[in-house]
Amino acid sequence: MAHFPELVFSGVQPTGNLHLGNYLGAIVKFVELQKTHSCIYCVVDLHAITLPQKPDELKASIREVTAAFIAAGIDPKKHIVFNQSQVAEHAELAWVFNCVARMGWLNRMTQFKEKAGKDRENASVGLYAYPTLMAADIHVYRATHVPVGEDQKQHLELARDIAQKFNNDFAESIAARGHGEAYFPLPEPLIQGPATRVMSLRDGSKKMSKSDPSDYSRLNLSDDADTIAQKVRKAKTDPEPLPSEVAGLAKRPEAENLVGIFAALNQQTKQDVLGTFGGGNFSAFKSALVDLAVAKLGPVGSEMKRLSKDDAYIDSVLADGAARARVLAAQTMRDVKDILGFVR
Ligand code: AQP
């Protein structure tokens, strides 16, 4: 198999209400990976418009996600932070991939089914083709590693299938142009971690999500200490005391979720958490969880607020990141055009 230099790529949609699931499932991993890898982190605004967005809110959300990246500790000078729409090559490669991916592959995507709901005929074509754009985001940098939450696993598998089919379909042309046996790497999903699927605080069977109509279902990164305390205190639980062993969390999704959140924020295992709180009632545990969540999320939220007063700085980070991303993406598109046989 061909060797590719390791490069990390991931994205977050600017669709408002950035929450604890996005933070623990993605952003914390982004921060960790920048110690060992070159990283490209993208605010995926082209993905956001697959569902209706209000222009002013979209702009504010793009800046909010950028501020969250920086506030969480991503260094935009050492790595690349930008918004997707500033690098046209994402959309250009997505078109090529629309012609590589098969309808049958996209028909299997569960996120489309969930987001389109019953009114599938009325969903945008963009929502349907979302996974081919996501594949382009990754492959336009020939990224090798993609940190995501568990909900993105299926899309990552599709990105691998697209790379594989492109490499196979154009194998002769790829080799003839000196790229060896494969042009695109098959990216590795990085899903492991303590909180790959944070659940709603109101319903332990549903993923914590930006689009949940109840704000009490999630902890937003912008929540202040009082709001965090109220939401944790109101979080759904059950009448039993906390178990002393992890096995005792089975069939208790709300308890499991809160213990998992505590463990992830405190960088412990669930068993460690139960070692401290097992046998006790939820109210003492929730008080400790409030203190922990405020201690961990508070500084990120305050820094986001401070940065949100400085649009000029945020926009300059995005422009600088986009300029650097464009150089890499343009090289890939030149290669892809040559491989496909386009005149350029
Ligand atoms: N609940 C979650 N637990 C763990 N990881 C999560 N992610 C999202 N929700 C959870 C991860 O966050 C990254 C950015 O997500 P996104 O904004 O690109 O897309 P999303 O999955 O659509 O986010 P939401 O919050 O779930 O929005 P809606 O309400 O629109 O469905 C991704 O790596 C994702 O896995």
Side-chain angles (χ1 to χ4, degrees), residues 9-13 15 21-22 25-26 29-30 44 47 109-112 114-115 130-135 137-138 146-160 187-191 196-197 207-208 210:
F9 176 91
S10 196
V12 172
Q13 293 192 74
T15 39
N22 302 131
K29 289 194 255 182
F30 297 179
V44 288
H47 283 281
M109 295 295 111
T110 54
Q111 183 174 290
F112 174 75
E114 282 160 23
K115 293 205 170 179
Y130 183 112
T132 56
L133 177 59
M134 181 165 156
D137 299 337
I138 297 163
V146 186
V148 282
E150 205 179 81
D151 57 323
Q152 293 300 323
K153 190 167 177 228
Q154 196 183 32
H155 287 166
L156 247 300
E157 280 160 10
L158 190 97
R160 289 169 64 92
E188 289 290 330
L190 300 176
I191 300 181
T196 55
R197 191 170 175 84
K207 168 178 103 104
M208 186 177 284
K210 297 181 191 121

Side-chain angles (χ1 to χ4, degrees), residues 237-243 252 255 279-282:
T237 50
D238 57 44
E240 302 296 317
L242 279 159
R252 297 180 65 185
N281 60 25
F282 274 100

Side-chain angles (χ1 to χ4, degrees), residues 14 53 60 69 71 74 167 185 205 221 234 239 250 280 288 305 307 316 332 336:
Q53 304 295 335
F69 283 172
I74 291 168
N167 290 339
S205 68
L221 293 187
K234 279 194 187 259
K305 276 191 196 107
L307 290 168
S316 74
T332 302
V336 166

Side-chain angles (χ1 to χ4, degrees), residues 1 97 100-101 105 135 139 156-171 174 181-187:
M1 187 61 203
F97 288 166
V100 173
W105 300 359
H139 296 315
L156 247 300
E157 280 160 10
L158 190 97
R160 289 169 64 92
D161 289 344
I162 289 175
Q164 181 89 65
K165 183 160 164 51
F166 183 94
N167 290 339
N168 289 346
D169 288 355
F170 299 101
I174 289 168
E181 60 197 32
Y183 183 71
F184 290 118
L186 305 188

